[in-house]
Amino acid sequence: MKKLYLPFIFFFFLCLTSCVDIEERYDFKADGACNVVYGFDMSKAVSVLTNLMTDSVRETPQFSLAKDTTLNFYNALPDSIANKMNAEEIKMAQGSDLAIKMDLKNNIMKVSIKHEAKNAADLQYYLQHLSNISMNSELSHVTQSKQVGGFDAQPLITGQSYYNYEITPHKFYRIIDKVKFAAFLKKAGAKFAMAKAMLIDMPYKVVLNFAKPVKKINNSKALLSADRKRVTLVTSMDEVMKNPALMNLKIDF
């Protein structure tokens, strides 16, 4: 696993200091299951950074490396971490994958965390515990690097932790916890401020696809499709930091 991550870590963090397109996607099924993807597209940043690199860097084997792979969290965990997990955490890890698509020469760099929730209760547990379960020790190997100022991207990847959720077979509610969000900003806010000073944005999109029409939604910024089965919220981390309530969603379906 280390062989896979070593060339990836360096470029991953360079990109995080430049530009990240963040997208949350929820695909609800008729039987109550839901596929969740929390993705980061750093391809734009790779394109910019490539132009700043010397020919010698672009000619290295690391830069020529291309990967398109998916790792199951539980199978990837060392025994020292897996043995400390409870039954619910093991089940959650087994249903979660880390997908990496990287082709630096073609300006492609995408990372996503995927989970298949079996029902509403499973989905709520996943969203409430993603940042707390022991598998985050594995995530930290990918999302932390001393070479680029020690920036910790883990709060971004596990950003669900600052929401309070209420999820049932007929509703999806999430409200930002102001105390938790303040703690998140204390940890990651400096990097966002630096990006803003450099006129760099972090677009943020949330897409929820439902198996049946939405009856009611409380967020005026969210767009509802013509068939009322898709909710799309488009904003940016800069806007969210100014007004966290933009990410609040109360959807009845």
Side-chain angles (χ1 to χ4, degrees):
M1 181 131 68
K2 290 182 179 179
K3 291 182 180 179
L4 170 66
Y5 287 157
L6 284 176
F8 168 73
I9 293 174
F10 176 71
F11 289 105
F12 181 60
F13 280 91
L14 280 179
C15 293
L16 277 175
T17 61
S18 300
C19 180
V20 182
D21 286 278
I22 309 167
E23 180 173 320
E24 291 179 57
R25 180 174 291 271
Y26 301 80
D27 293 314
F28 290 86
K29 301 179 181 179
D31 63 359
C34 181
N35 291 329
V36 187
V37 180
Y38 197 46
F40 302 83
D41 188 345
M42 294 152 280
S43 302
K44 294 177 183 177
V46 171
S47 178
V48 173
L49 291 168
T50 298
N51 294 327
L52 301 177
M53 294 177 182
T54 63
D55 291 340
S56 60
V57 172
R58 286 194 290 266
E59 292 171 0
T60 60
Q62 288 86 353
F63 189 79
S64 301
L65 183 66
K67 289 287 182 181
D68 188 353
T69 187
T70 299
L71 305 171
N72 179 268
F73 271 120
Y74 187 74
N75 293 337
L77 289 173
D79 292 340
S80 60
I81 295 176
N83 292 338
K84 297 178 182 179
M85 300 170 68
N86 61 38
E88 287 297 321
E89 291 172 340
I90 291 174
K91 180 181 177 182
M92 179 176 165
Q94 289 174 334
S96 303
D97 296 323
L98 172 67
I100 301 170
K101 187 172 185 179
M102 175 179 64
D103 186 345
L104 301 179
K105 283 194 170 182
N106 290 305
N107 300 325
I108 297 174
M109 174 69 80
K110 298 180 180 180
V111 179
S112 63
I113 297 176
K114 303 178 180 180
H115 180 75
E116 182 179 351
K118 304 300 182 183
N119 50 47
D122 186 10
L123 176 61
Q124 179 159 331
Y125 182 90
Y126 171 73
L127 296 176
Q128 288 181 333
H129 293 84
L130 176 60
S131 64
N132 299 325
I133 65 171
S134 300
M135 73 179 182
N136 280 345
S137 297
E138 182 64 25
L139 274 177
S140 66
H141 293 305
V142 183
T143 62
Q144 296 181 21
S145 174
K146 295 181 180 179
Q147 283 92 336
V148 286
F151 177 48
D152 180 6
Q154 194 169 356
L156 266 178
I157 291 182
T158 59
Q160 302 293 347
S161 63
Y162 50 67
Y163 293 109
N164 292 320
Y165 289 92
E166 183 182 354
I167 302 174
T168 74
H170 302 288
K171 66 172 62 173
F172 180 91
Y173 289 7
R174 75 172 189 187
I175 304 296
I176 280 187
D177 184 306
K178 294 181 179 179
V179 174
K180 292 180 180 178
F181 189 72
F184 165 79
L185 289 183
K186 184 177 181 180
K187 190 172 185 178
K191 280 294 179 180
F192 294 138
M194 183 183 299
K196 183 179 179 181
M198 298 171 65
L199 302 180
I200 295 169
D201 195 15
M202 282 190 176
Y204 201 131
K205 179 187 288 187
V206 183
V207 179
L208 303 101
N209 294 309
F210 296 93
K212 43 194 167 185
V214 169
K215 297 178 180 178
K216 184 171 62 176
I217 182 170
N218 78 327
N219 190 320
S220 61
K221 189 176 177 63
L223 300 177
L224 189 59
S225 64
D227 63 2
R228 302 186 67 85
K229 291 185 177 182
R230 172 176 290 189
V231 174
T232 304
L233 176 61
V234 179
T235 182
S236 70
M237 282 306 302
D238 184 42
E239 290 182 329
V240 173
M241 285 187 290
K242 293 177 182 177
N243 182 14
L246 287 175
M247 297 297 284
N248 290 343
L249 287 169
K250 285 189 174 182
I251 303 173
D252 293 282
F253 55 94

